[in-house]
Amino acid sequence: MKNRSDIEVMASILRSATNGWEYKTSMMNTAAISHSQLIRYLAVGIEKGLIEYSDTTGLYRTTESGVFYLRKYEQMVSMLPSVPEILDLEKEHDSPNSRDHVYSSVS
C-alpha cells in the first residue's frame, strides 16, 4: 500500500465510523492502519471534534464536524487529477512533438 498523508489517513478513519458506533478493531481494519496509528489519530480526532468516544460503550463514531471534513476531503480529491492522468501529461510533455521540446533545443 502506498504511503498516505495525514489527511488521507484521517479521512479513512472518519469514513470507517460514519454509519454508527464502531470498535477500534473494526476501524483499524477498515482504515487499514495499525493500532498505534489509530490511537494517535483518534486522539487528534477527538481533540478537534471530528470523532466522538462513548465512555459507556467504549465505541467511537464520526461527528457532524467529521462528516463535514469528509465532504471537503472528497471535494478536494475530486478536483485533483488521477495518477494515470499525470503520467499522460508527462508523456505529452516529453514527446518529440512537444512545443516545449522544440523551444528547449533551440536555446
Side-chain angles (χ1 to χ4, degrees):
M1 176 176 268
K2 71 178 184 96
N3 290 331
R4 296 180 287 175
S5 70
D6 291 338
I7 293 170
E8 290 173 296
V9 173
M10 182 60 80
S12 294
I13 292 168
L14 294 173
R15 201 176 297 112
S16 73
T18 54
N19 294 326
W21 295 95
E22 295 290 338
Y23 288 103
K24 285 192 282 188
T25 305
S26 172
M27 295 170 72
M28 283 172 29
N29 292 334
T30 304
I33 59 172
S34 69
H35 184 262
S36 61
Q37 286 176 305
L38 180 65
I39 297 304
R40 287 195 315 262
Y41 283 96
L42 284 176
V44 171
I46 291 169
E47 177 185 327
K48 300 296 183 184
L50 303 174
I51 300 170
E52 182 180 0
Y53 175 72
S54 169
D55 289 324
T56 308
T57 62
L59 301 176
Y60 297 85
R61 74 173 171 187
T62 302
T63 65
E64 287 184 35
S65 294
V67 172
F68 180 78
Y69 176 104
L70 281 172
R71 278 197 308 258
K72 292 299 179 185
Y73 170 78
E74 294 299 333
Q75 287 175 350
M76 181 184 68
V77 168
S78 71
M79 292 175 17
L80 299 174
S82 66
V83 173
E85 291 172 1
I86 292 171
L87 294 175
D88 289 342
L89 290 174
E90 289 175 350
K91 286 178 187 175
E92 288 174 16
H93 179 72
D94 292 341
S95 74
N97 296 330
S98 169
R99 290 183 2 174
D100 292 335
H101 183 271
V102 172
Y103 290 128
S104 65
S105 61
V106 172
S107 14

